[in-house]
Coordinates of all heavy atoms in Angstrom, one line a residue:
A818 N -54.4 -114.6 150.8 CA -54.0 -113.7 151.9 C -53.0 -112.7 151.4 O -53.0 -111.5 151.6 CB -53.5 -114.5 153.1
A819 N -52.0 -113.2 150.7 CA -50.9 -112.3 150.2 C -51.5 -111.3 149.2 O -51.1 -110.1 149.2 CB -49.8 -113.2 149.5
A820 N -52.3 -111.8 148.3 CA -52.9 -110.9 147.3 C -53.8 -109.8 147.9 O -53.7 -108.6 147.5 CB -53.7 -111.7 146.3
N821 N -54.6 -110.2 148.9 CA -55.4 -109.2 149.6 C -54.6 -108.2 150.4 O -54.9 -107.0 150.4 CB -56.4 -110.0 150.5 CG -57.6 -109.1 150.8 OD1 -58.2 -108.4 149.9 ND2 -57.9 -109.1 152.1
F822 N -53.5 -108.7 151.0 CA -52.7 -107.9 151.8 C -52.0 -106.9 151.0 O -51.8 -105.7 151.3 CB -51.7 -108.7 152.6 CG -50.9 -108.0 153.7 CD1 -51.5 -107.7 154.9 CD2 -49.6 -107.6 153.5 CE1 -50.9 -107.0 155.9 CE2 -48.9 -106.9 154.5 CZ -49.6 -106.6 155.7
K823 N -51.5 -107.3 149.8 CA -50.9 -106.4 148.9 C -51.8 -105.3 148.4 O -51.5 -104.1 148.4 CB -50.3 -107.1 147.7 CG -49.6 -106.2 146.7 CD -49.0 -106.9 145.5 CE -48.3 -106.0 144.5 NZ -47.7 -106.7 143.4
K824 N -53.0 -105.7 148.1 CA -54.0 -104.7 147.6 C -54.4 -103.7 148.7 O -54.5 -102.5 148.5 CB -55.3 -105.4 147.2 CG -56.4 -104.5 146.6 CD -57.5 -105.3 146.1 CE -58.4 -105.9 147.2 NZ -59.6 -106.5 146.6
T825 N -54.4 -104.2 149.9 CA -54.8 -103.3 151.1 C -53.7 -102.5 151.6 O -53.9 -101.3 152.1 CB -55.4 -104.1 152.2 OG1 -56.4 -105.0 151.7 CG2 -56.1 -103.3 153.3
N826 N -52.5 -103.0 151.6 CA -51.3 -102.4 152.2 C -50.2 -102.0 151.3 O -49.2 -101.4 151.8 CB -50.8 -103.3 153.3 CG -51.8 -103.6 154.4 OD1 -52.1 -102.7 155.2 ND2 -52.5 -104.7 154.4
N827 N -50.3 -102.4 150.0 CA -49.2 -102.2 149.1 C -47.9 -102.8 149.6 O -46.8 -102.3 149.5 CB -49.0 -100.7 148.9 CG -48.2 -100.4 147.6 OD1 -48.3 -101.1 146.6 ND2 -47.5 -99.3 147.5
V828 N -48.0 -104.0 150.1 CA -46.9 -104.8 150.6 C -47.0 -106.2 149.9 O -47.9 -106.9 150.1 CB -46.8 -105.0 152.1 CG1 -45.7 -105.9 152.5 CG2 -46.8 -103.6 152.8
E829 N -46.0 -106.5 149.1 CA -46.0 -107.8 148.4 C -45.3 -108.9 149.3 O -44.2 -108.7 149.9 CB -45.1 -107.7 147.1 CG -45.1 -109.1 146.4 CD -44.2 -108.9 145.1 OE1 -43.5 -107.9 144.9 OE2 -44.3 -109.9 144.3
V830 N -46.0 -110.0 149.5 CA -45.5 -111.1 150.3 C -45.2 -112.3 149.4 O -46.1 -112.9 148.8 CB -46.5 -111.6 151.4 CG1 -45.9 -112.7 152.3 CG2 -47.0 -110.4 152.3
E831 N -43.9 -112.6 149.2 CA -43.5 -113.7 148.4 C -43.4 -114.9 149.3 O -42.6 -115.0 150.2 CB -42.1 -113.4 147.8 CG -41.5 -114.5 146.9 CD -40.1 -114.3 146.5 OE1 -39.6 -113.1 146.7 OE2 -39.5 -115.2 146.0
I832 N -44.2 -115.9 148.9 CA -44.3 -117.1 149.8 C -43.5 -118.3 149.1 O -43.8 -118.6 147.9 CB -45.7 -117.5 150.0 CG1 -46.5 -116.4 150.7 CG2 -45.8 -118.8 150.9 CD1 -48.0 -116.5 150.8
Q833 N -42.6 -118.9 149.8 CA -41.9 -120.1 149.3 C -42.3 -121.3 150.2 O -42.3 -121.2 151.4 CB -40.4 -119.8 149.3 CG -40.0 -118.7 148.4 CD -38.5 -118.5 148.4 OE1 -37.7 -119.5 148.4 NE2 -38.0 -117.3 148.4
F834 N -42.6 -122.4 149.5 CA -43.0 -123.6 150.1 C -41.9 -124.7 150.1 O -41.3 -124.9 149.1 CB -44.3 -124.1 149.5 CG -45.4 -123.2 149.5 CD1 -45.6 -122.3 148.4 CD2 -46.3 -123.1 150.5 CE1 -46.6 -121.3 148.4 CE2 -47.4 -122.2 150.5 CZ -47.5 -121.3 149.5
F835 N -41.7 -125.4 151.2 CA -40.6 -126.3 151.4 C -41.1 -127.6 151.9 O -42.1 -127.7 152.6 CB -39.5 -125.8 152.3 CG -38.8 -124.6 151.8 CD1 -39.3 -123.3 152.0 CD2 -37.6 -124.7 151.1 CE1 -38.6 -122.2 151.6 CE2 -36.9 -123.6 150.7 CZ -37.4 -122.3 150.9
E836 N -40.4 -128.7 151.7 CA -40.5 -130.0 152.4 C -39.9 -129.8 153.8 O -39.0 -128.9 154.0 CB -39.8 -131.1 151.7 CG -40.3 -131.4 150.3 CD -41.7 -132.0 150.2 OE1 -42.2 -132.3 151.3 OE2 -42.2 -132.1 149.1
N837 N -40.4 -130.6 154.8 CA -40.0 -130.4 156.2 C -38.5 -130.5 156.4 O -37.9 -129.5 156.9 CB -40.7 -131.5 157.0 CG -40.5 -131.3 158.5 OD1 -39.4 -131.1 159.0 ND2 -41.6 -131.5 159.2
D838 N -37.9 -131.6 156.1 CA -36.5 -131.8 156.4 C -35.5 -130.9 155.6 O -34.6 -130.3 156.2 CB -36.1 -133.2 156.3 CG -36.7 -134.1 157.4 OD1 -37.0 -133.6 158.5 OD2 -37.0 -135.3 157.1
P839 N -35.7 -130.7 154.3 CA -34.9 -129.7 153.6 C -35.0 -128.3 154.1 O -34.1 -127.6 154.1 CB -35.4 -129.9 152.1 CG -36.0 -131.2 152.0 CD -36.6 -131.5 153.4
Y840 N -36.2 -128.0 154.6 CA -36.4 -126.7 155.1 C -35.5 -126.4 156.3 O -34.9 -125.4 156.5 CB -37.9 -126.5 155.5 CG -38.2 -125.2 156.4 CD1 -38.2 -124.0 155.8 CD2 -38.3 -125.3 157.7 CE1 -38.4 -122.9 156.6 CE2 -38.5 -124.2 158.5 CZ -38.5 -123.0 157.9 OH -38.7 -121.9 158.7
K841 N -35.5 -127.4 157.2 CA -34.7 -127.2 158.4 C -33.2 -127.0 158.1 O -32.6 -126.1 158.7 CB -34.8 -128.5 159.3 CG -36.2 -128.7 159.9 CD -36.3 -130.0 160.7 CE -37.6 -130.2 161.2 NZ -37.8 -131.6 161.9
T842 N -32.7 -127.7 157.1 CA -31.3 -127.6 156.7 C -31.1 -126.2 156.1 O -30.1 -125.6 156.4 CB -31.0 -128.7 155.7 OG1 -31.2 -130.0 156.3 CG2 -29.5 -128.6 155.3
K843 N -32.0 -125.8 155.2 CA -31.8 -124.6 154.5 C -31.9 -123.4 155.4 O -31.1 -122.4 155.3 CB -32.8 -124.4 153.3 CG -32.6 -123.2 152.4 CD -33.6 -123.2 151.3 CE -33.3 -122.0 150.4 NZ -32.0 -122.0 149.7
L844 N -32.8 -123.4 156.3 CA -33.0 -122.3 157.2 C -31.7 -122.1 158.1 O -31.3 -121.0 158.3 CB -34.2 -122.5 158.1 CG -34.6 -121.2 159.0 CD1 -35.1 -120.1 158.1 CD2 -35.6 -121.6 160.1
K845 N -31.2 -123.2 158.6 CA -30.0 -123.1 159.4 C -28.8 -122.5 158.7 O -28.0 -121.8 159.2 CB -29.6 -124.5 160.0 CG -30.6 -125.0 161.1 CD -30.1 -126.3 161.7 CE -31.1 -126.7 162.8 NZ -30.7 -128.0 163.4
T846 N -28.8 -122.8 157.4 CA -27.7 -122.2 156.5 C -27.8 -120.7 156.3 O -26.8 -120.0 156.4 CB -27.8 -122.9 155.1 OG1 -27.6 -124.3 155.3 CG2 -26.7 -122.4 154.2
V847 N -29.1 -120.2 156.2 CA -29.2 -118.8 155.8 C -29.4 -117.9 157.0 O -29.1 -116.7 156.9 CB -30.4 -118.6 154.9 CG1 -30.3 -119.4 153.6 CG2 -31.8 -119.0 155.6
M848 N -29.8 -118.5 158.2 CA -30.0 -117.6 159.4 C -28.6 -117.0 159.8 O -27.6 -117.7 159.9 CB -30.5 -118.4 160.5 CG -32.0 -118.8 160.3 SD -33.1 -117.4 160.2 CE -33.3 -117.0 161.9
G849 N -28.6 -115.7 159.9 CA -27.4 -115.0 160.3 C -26.5 -114.7 159.2 O -25.4 -114.1 159.4
S850 N -26.9 -115.0 157.9 CA -26.1 -114.8 156.8 C -26.5 -113.5 156.0 O -25.8 -113.1 155.1 CB -26.2 -116.0 155.8 OG -27.5 -116.0 155.2
G851 N -27.6 -112.9 156.5 CA -28.1 -111.7 155.8 C -29.0 -112.1 154.7 O -29.6 -111.2 154.0
Q852 N -29.3 -113.4 154.5 CA -30.2 -113.9 153.4 C -31.4 -114.6 154.0 O -32.0 -115.3 153.3 CB -29.4 -114.8 152.5 CG -28.2 -114.1 151.8 CD -27.4 -115.0 150.9 OE1 -27.7 -116.2 150.8 NE2 -26.5 -114.5 150.1
A853 N -31.6 -114.5 155.3 CA -32.8 -115.1 155.9 C -34.1 -114.6 155.4 O -34.1 -113.4 155.0 CB -32.7 -115.0 157.4
P854 N -35.1 -115.4 155.3 CA -36.4 -114.8 154.9 C -36.9 -113.9 156.0 O -36.5 -113.9 157.2 CB -37.3 -116.1 154.9 CG -36.7 -117.0 155.8 CD -35.2 -116.8 155.7
D855 N -37.8 -112.9 155.6 CA -38.3 -112.0 156.6 C -39.2 -112.7 157.6 O -39.1 -112.4 158.8 CB -39.2 -110.9 155.9 CG -38.4 -110.1 154.9 OD1 -37.4 -109.4 155.4 OD2 -38.7 -110.1 153.7
I856 N -40.0 -113.7 157.2 CA -40.9 -114.5 158.0 C -40.6 -115.9 157.8 O -40.5 -116.4 156.7 CB -42.3 -114.2 157.7 CG1 -42.7 -112.7 157.8 CG2 -43.3 -115.0 158.6 CD1 -44.0 -112.3 157.2
F857 N -40.4 -116.7 158.9 CA -40.0 -118.1 158.7 C -40.8 -119.0 159.6 O -41.2 -118.6 160.7 CB -38.5 -118.4 158.9 CG -38.0 -118.1 160.3 CD1 -37.9 -119.1 161.2 CD2 -37.6 -116.8 160.6 CE1 -37.4 -118.8 162.5 CE2 -37.1 -116.5 161.9 CZ -37.0 -117.5 162.8

């Protein structure tokens, strides 16, 4: 989906994959810090 979207729209989507519980901890840390992912 990311590759096709980039080809069609010239927008690169960098996807990062996480385990469930570490994800919750990391997201709470970065939200509001200016380093949050664009899509979460």
